Amino acid sequence: MSDLEPLFRPRLQYPERALRLRREGRVIVEFRIGNDGAPQDVRVVEAIPPGLFEQSALRYAAGLRYHPGEKPPHPAETIGKERDRQRLEVRFEMRGQA
């Protein structure tokens, strides 16, 4: 997952439907960090369970902010634009939810 620490993390919104169903889950999102420090091209890589948490995870990831121009360290053999993509696991847990 991502080695970079965001400067700002938005509040994670637990989906109402998931609250009603009392479901927990996780979503792995992938994105690039733009020159302004904002995530770009945010997309879901995996969601468990599917169809319940993806939109909330995408909104959360899009709201993260990093140091402008910050890039993770990469192995020398990594090539192509995909090397700049970050992965983040967003967990949805009932603990602390009203």
Side-chain angles (χ1 to χ4, degrees), residues 71-86:
K71 300 292 182 198
H74 300 294
E77 65 273 3
T78 304
I79 58 171
K81 67 179 184 178
E82 292 304 310
R83 71 178 184 187
D84 292 333
R85 295 192 68 76
Q86 298 295 298

Side-chain angles (χ1 to χ4, degrees), residues 15-56:
E16 288 294 324
R17 182 168 176 253
L19 283 173
R20 283 193 313 272
L21 296 171
R22 303 201 48 79
R23 296 293 306 266
E24 295 185 337
R26 68 183 179 93
V27 178
I28 297 175
V29 295
E30 197 174 71
F31 55 88
R32 288 181 299 106
I33 299 172
N35 290 334
D36 63 353
Q40 298 176 342
D41 188 28
V42 182
R43 60 184 175 212
V44 172
V45 175
E46 178 182 13
I48 300 172
L52 198 54
F53 297 103
E54 290 93 325
Q55 292 305 312
S56 289

